[in-house]
Amino acid sequence: METARDVLTALARRYAFGDLAALIAQGTVVPDHHADAVAALCAFGQRVLDLDAEDFGMPEDAGEVPHDLLDRARASRMPQAPRERPRGALASLRPAYSLLLEVIAIRWHRRDMAALVAAVHIAAEYLPMLAWEPVLGHAGDPARIGASVEGEGSRFGVPIEPGSARMCDHTRPERSACERTLRVAKEPPPGWRAYLDRQHSQVASALGDCAARCRTPCTVMSRLDDLVRADLTDRCKLAGDFTDGALVKLRHAAPVGHGFGVPSPEEVQAAWTRARTSLSRHPLGHKALSGTDDAYPLPGLPALFSAIAAADLHPDTLLHDVTTRITTTLG
């Protein structure tokens, strides 16, 4: 016969943090000194699973979270003030992409396809910034990006004069975001947060266009060494192909997009198969995806992100470790 503890342990292993917290709050048999610890871990785990990046690493109202878990989450946090330290996902997006890979796998195993598609969409939005990170030395931090994109001959964030020939392929929203990123580090926290919410992903898209699609490159690209530039262009083209591919397009059929349908696991697998076939036509994509038959639910996705990042990325274990702490605490 299952005991209450068996049920709680099963919920933890399914990453059902909200359900587990609700049962404990209703008085499910857990010693008081353990209930507070489990409640805090559940609140933290749910925040991470929901990809609530602005509050990663912050104290939880439900109780104290172990500092080692908080520190790991902070590596993927978006700073909420211009001078906040550490810089989290503005210093490097690699921890965030490892976490995204873990979340995508968990959503697959829970059959949460709408949430999976949403996580894939978030990954697609910032892939160009992940590609630029080895070149910039950071992940598009507005406080540091000026040195790499400003200067004589740059059209990055420069308004187009009325009546002049259009030399930059950036869209109007991208130009506005690029102009804003060069000055937002001097703004107060509310303006900084508004920029992160509405325009930072546009800067990522604009940088991807600079490397992969610009027909009249300015000094943002021409200042780079030829080999660096060629490598960056390849990785940004691969990022763009992923963003335009079948898997990301599933979002438009999900509640988080423009419709009311939720894709089935079979539809997600079919979309990823189509996307892999298309991405494999790209030399870098072929190299990353050829022969990939790993245990990841979307085989080859970690290898693809690694190729774009020019770094070895693997799914994180942060949420798995949270469940381990919970089950250990439950005894």
Side-chain angles (χ1 to χ4, degrees):
M1 180 180 296
E2 279 190 325
T3 66
R5 184 164 296 167
D6 292 334
V7 173
L8 297 179
T9 299
L11 288 172
R13 289 174 176 163
R14 278 188 49 78
Y15 304 94
F17 301 116
D19 294 336
L20 177 55
L23 284 176
I24 291 174
Q26 291 172 9
T28 301
V29 183
V30 176
D32 288 343
H33 63 290
H34 286 167
D36 291 343
V38 172
L41 287 166
C42 286
F44 172 77
Q46 191 63 53
R47 187 184 303 281
V48 174
L49 186 60
D50 289 341
L51 297 171
D52 185 11
E54 66 181 27
D55 290 325
F56 280 178
M58 300 299 290
E60 298 292 344
D61 293 338
E64 186 173 349
V65 179
H67 287 291
D68 63 311
L69 297 178
L70 288 175
D71 288 343
R72 289 170 63 185
R74 287 189 184 106
S76 299
R77 172 180 163 83
M78 275 293 183
Q80 296 300 291
R83 296 178 180 83
E84 182 179 310
R85 294 289 186 274
R87 299 303 277 172
L90 293 179
S92 175
L93 278 169
R94 293 170 185 174
Y97 272 83
S98 291
L99 181 59
L100 278 165
L101 286 169
E102 184 183 21
V103 168
I104 290 168
I106 289 171
R107 293 300 189 182
W108 172 267
H109 291 301
R110 286 175 52 83
R111 293 300 189 257
D112 293 337
M113 294 300 109
L116 181 150
V117 170
V120 167
H121 187 268
I122 291 171
E125 281 196 317
Y126 290 97
L127 270 182
M129 199 77 85
L130 183 70
W132 268 86
E133 185 176 320
V135 176
L136 296 174
H138 54 85
D141 189 339
R144 301 171 61 192
I145 198 172
S148 298
V149 298
E150 288 185 298
E152 185 177 354
S154 171
R155 293 189 288 271
F156 188 91
V158 177
I160 296 177
E161 295 293 333
S164 63
R166 179 175 173 176
M167 300 293 289
C168 180
D169 285 337
H170 287 166
T171 63
R172 182 173 295 179
E174 286 175 344
R175 287 199 304 274
S176 176
C178 290
E179 187 274 333
R180 183 84 182 277
T181 200
L182 295 173
R183 59 180 172 82
V184 74
K186 298 178 182 178
E187 294 185 14
W192 170 266
R193 290 191 290 270
Y195 160 81
L196 291 178
D197 288 343
R198 302 169 192 166
Q199 293 183 294
H200 193 56
S201 63
Q202 290 280 357
V203 175
S205 177
L207 286 170
D209 289 343
C210 288
R213 296 171 179 167
C214 186
R215 294 166 294 180
T216 55
C218 69
T219 54
V220 170
M221 291 299 295
S222 63
R223 73 183 70 187
L224 301 177
D225 175 85
D226 288 346
L227 292 177
V228 171
R229 178 175 174 176
D231 174 64
L232 175 62
T233 295
D234 279 348
R235 291 185 290 110
C236 282
K237 283 183 176 179
L238 187 58
D241 289 347
F242 176 82
T243 300
D244 294 337
L247 182 62
V248 177
K249 287 180 179 178
L250 280 179
R251 183 179 192 266
H252 300 291
V256 291
H258 304 298
F260 292 97
V262 176
S264 67
E266 293 75 21
E267 289 172 322
V268 170
Q269 282 184 325
W272 176 233
T273 298
R274 293 197 302 274
R276 280 190 59 169
T277 299
S278 178
L279 292 165
S280 293
R281 297 190 186 106
H282 189 291
L284 186 61
H286 177 75
K287 182 179 179 181
L289 296 170
S290 61
T292 300
D293 188 21
D294 54 35
Y296 194 75
L298 301 178
L301 191 62
L304 182 75
F305 287 173
S306 295
I308 292 169
D312 197 12
L313 300 181
H314 298 281
D316 205 340
T317 61
L318 178 57
L319 286 163
H320 175 269
D321 293 344
V322 171
T323 66
T324 300
R325 300 288 178 93
I326 291 173
T327 55
T328 300
T329 304
L330 291 171

mmCIF file of all heavy atoms in Angstrom, residues 114 117 248-263:
data_model
loop_
_atom_site.group_PDB
_atom_site.id
_atom_site.type_symbol
_atom_site.label_atom_id
_atom_site.label_comp_id
_atom_site.label_asym_id
_atom_site.label_seq_id
_atom_site.Cartn_x
_atom_site.Cartn_y
_atom_site.Cartn_z
ATOM 1 N N ALA A 114 2.992 22.197 -24.547
ATOM 2 C CA ALA A 114 2.903 23.649 -24.699
ATOM 3 C C ALA A 114 4.091 24.328 -24.016
ATOM 4 O O ALA A 114 4.701 25.254 -24.569
ATOM 5 C CB ALA A 114 1.587 24.168 -24.122
ATOM 6 N N VAL A 117 7.305 23.694 -26.060
ATOM 7 C CA VAL A 117 7.405 24.556 -27.234
ATOM 8 C C VAL A 117 7.771 25.986 -26.826
ATOM 9 O O VAL A 117 8.549 26.659 -27.503
ATOM 10 C CB VAL A 117 6.085 24.520 -28.033
ATOM 11 C CG1 VAL A 117 6.063 25.588 -29.111
ATOM 12 C CG2 VAL A 117 5.891 23.144 -28.662
ATOM 13 N N VAL A 248 10.338 25.314 -34.008
ATOM 14 C CA VAL A 248 10.006 26.616 -33.428
ATOM 15 C C VAL A 248 8.648 27.094 -33.930
ATOM 16 O O VAL A 248 7.878 27.719 -33.184
ATOM 17 C CB VAL A 248 11.111 27.641 -33.748
ATOM 18 C CG1 VAL A 248 10.745 29.024 -33.203
ATOM 19 C CG2 VAL A 248 12.444 27.183 -33.150
ATOM 20 N N LYS A 249 8.324 26.783 -35.160
ATOM 21 C CA LYS A 249 7.038 27.220 -35.721
ATOM 22 C C LYS A 249 5.849 26.557 -35.042
ATOM 23 O O LYS A 249 4.717 27.046 -35.176
ATOM 24 C CB LYS A 249 7.009 26.952 -37.224
ATOM 25 C CG LYS A 249 7.897 27.912 -38.016
ATOM 26 C CD LYS A 249 7.849 27.629 -39.500
ATOM 27 C CE LYS A 249 8.714 28.621 -40.260
ATOM 28 N NZ LYS A 249 8.734 28.344 -41.722
ATOM 29 N N LEU A 250 6.064 25.472 -34.314
ATOM 30 C CA LEU A 250 4.970 24.856 -33.568
ATOM 31 C C LEU A 250 4.358 25.816 -32.561
ATOM 32 O O LEU A 250 3.198 25.659 -32.170
ATOM 33 C CB LEU A 250 5.457 23.612 -32.826
ATOM 34 C CG LEU A 250 5.605 22.313 -33.613
ATOM 35 C CD1 LEU A 250 6.123 21.219 -32.696
ATOM 36 C CD2 LEU A 250 4.286 21.889 -34.233
ATOM 37 N N ARG A 251 5.124 26.788 -32.123
ATOM 38 C CA ARG A 251 4.616 27.726 -31.121
ATOM 39 C C ARG A 251 3.351 28.435 -31.594
ATOM 40 O O ARG A 251 2.470 28.777 -30.794
ATOM 41 C CB ARG A 251 5.679 28.774 -30.784
ATOM 42 C CG ARG A 251 5.240 29.740 -29.679
ATOM 43 C CD ARG A 251 6.341 30.732 -29.383
ATOM 44 N NE ARG A 251 6.045 31.460 -28.157
ATOM 45 C CZ ARG A 251 5.421 32.637 -28.116
ATOM 46 N NH1 ARG A 251 4.991 33.187 -29.238
ATOM 47 N NH2 ARG A 251 5.213 33.250 -26.968
ATOM 48 N N HIS A 252 3.244 28.656 -32.873
ATOM 49 C CA HIS A 252 2.103 29.406 -33.383
ATOM 50 C C HIS A 252 0.821 28.592 -33.383
ATOM 51 O O HIS A 252 -0.251 29.124 -33.662
ATOM 52 C CB HIS A 252 2.419 29.920 -34.788
ATOM 53 C CG HIS A 252 3.612 30.826 -34.799
ATOM 54 N ND1 HIS A 252 3.580 32.080 -34.233
ATOM 55 C CD2 HIS A 252 4.879 30.662 -35.266
ATOM 56 C CE1 HIS A 252 4.767 32.655 -34.362
ATOM 57 N NE2 HIS A 252 5.570 31.814 -34.977
ATOM 58 N N ALA A 253 0.913 27.303 -33.059
ATOM 59 C CA ALA A 253 -0.288 26.467 -32.943
ATOM 60 C C ALA A 253 -0.609 26.149 -31.495
ATOM 61 O O ALA A 253 -1.517 25.395 -31.215
ATOM 62 C CB ALA A 253 -0.099 25.169 -33.720
ATOM 63 N N ALA A 254 0.169 26.735 -30.567
ATOM 64 C CA ALA A 254 -0.011 26.438 -29.150
ATOM 65 C C ALA A 254 -0.648 27.625 -28.438
ATOM 66 O O ALA A 254 -0.657 28.742 -28.955
ATOM 67 C CB ALA A 254 1.349 26.120 -28.515
ATOM 68 N N PRO A 255 -1.215 27.423 -27.227
ATOM 69 C CA PRO A 255 -1.828 28.536 -26.492
ATOM 70 C C PRO A 255 -0.862 29.686 -26.242
ATOM 71 O O PRO A 255 -1.288 30.818 -26.098
ATOM 72 C CB PRO A 255 -2.263 27.886 -25.168
ATOM 73 C CG PRO A 255 -2.441 26.458 -25.504
ATOM 74 C CD PRO A 255 -1.399 26.144 -26.541
ATOM 75 N N VAL A 256 0.461 29.398 -26.179
ATOM 76 C CA VAL A 256 1.429 30.464 -25.978
ATOM 77 C C VAL A 256 1.678 31.223 -27.273
ATOM 78 O O VAL A 256 2.420 32.190 -27.296
ATOM 79 C CB VAL A 256 2.773 29.908 -25.447
ATOM 80 C CG1 VAL A 256 2.597 29.408 -24.037
ATOM 81 C CG2 VAL A 256 3.286 28.787 -26.350
ATOM 82 N N GLY A 257 1.071 30.782 -28.359
ATOM 83 C CA GLY A 257 1.223 31.472 -29.638
ATOM 84 C C GLY A 257 -0.065 32.156 -30.033
ATOM 85 O O GLY A 257 -0.664 32.883 -29.252
ATOM 86 N N HIS A 258 -0.560 31.873 -31.237
ATOM 87 C CA HIS A 258 -1.720 32.591 -31.745
ATOM 88 C C HIS A 258 -2.958 31.721 -31.888
ATOM 89 O O HIS A 258 -3.982 32.180 -32.371
ATOM 90 C CB HIS A 258 -1.383 33.197 -33.113
ATOM 91 C CG HIS A 258 -0.178 34.073 -33.068
ATOM 92 N ND1 HIS A 258 -0.130 35.218 -32.309
ATOM 93 C CD2 HIS A 258 1.033 33.978 -33.673
ATOM 94 C CE1 HIS A 258 1.053 35.795 -32.453
ATOM 95 N NE2 HIS A 258 1.777 35.061 -33.265
ATOM 96 N N GLY A 259 -2.896 30.472 -31.504
ATOM 97 C CA GLY A 259 -4.038 29.581 -31.673
ATOM 98 C C GLY A 259 -4.419 28.935 -30.366
ATOM 99 O O GLY A 259 -4.049 29.382 -29.289
ATOM 100 N N PHE A 260 -5.186 27.842 -30.444
ATOM 101 C CA PHE A 260 -5.646 27.176 -29.243
ATOM 102 C C PHE A 260 -5.280 25.697 -29.212
ATOM 103 O O PHE A 260 -5.650 24.992 -28.296
ATOM 104 C CB PHE A 260 -7.168 27.344 -29.106
ATOM 105 C CG PHE A 260 -7.575 28.751 -28.823
ATOM 106 C CD1 PHE A 260 -7.980 29.577 -29.855
ATOM 107 C CD2 PHE A 260 -7.525 29.269 -27.538
ATOM 108 C CE1 PHE A 260 -8.351 30.890 -29.604
ATOM 109 C CE2 PHE A 260 -7.890 30.573 -27.274
ATOM 110 C CZ PHE A 260 -8.308 31.391 -28.311
ATOM 111 N N GLY A 261 -4.587 25.218 -30.216
ATOM 112 C CA GLY A 261 -4.179 23.829 -30.228
ATOM 113 C C GLY A 261 -2.874 23.620 -29.491
ATOM 114 O O GLY A 261 -2.044 24.521 -29.401
ATOM 115 N N VAL A 262 -2.690 22.435 -28.938
ATOM 116 C CA VAL A 262 -1.430 22.050 -28.293
ATOM 117 C C VAL A 262 -0.869 20.860 -29.058
ATOM 118 O O VAL A 262 -1.562 19.863 -29.238
ATOM 119 C CB VAL A 262 -1.651 21.674 -26.812
ATOM 120 C CG1 VAL A 262 -0.345 21.195 -26.189
ATOM 121 C CG2 VAL A 262 -2.205 22.861 -26.034
ATOM 122 N N PRO A 263 0.386 20.936 -29.526
ATOM 123 C CA PRO A 263 0.938 19.824 -30.296
ATOM 124 C C PRO A 263 1.091 18.575 -29.435
ATOM 125 O O PRO A 263 1.381 18.655 -28.239
ATOM 126 C CB PRO A 263 2.296 20.347 -30.758
ATOM 127 C CG PRO A 263 2.652 21.418 -29.776
ATOM 128 C CD PRO A 263 1.349 22.043 -29.368
#
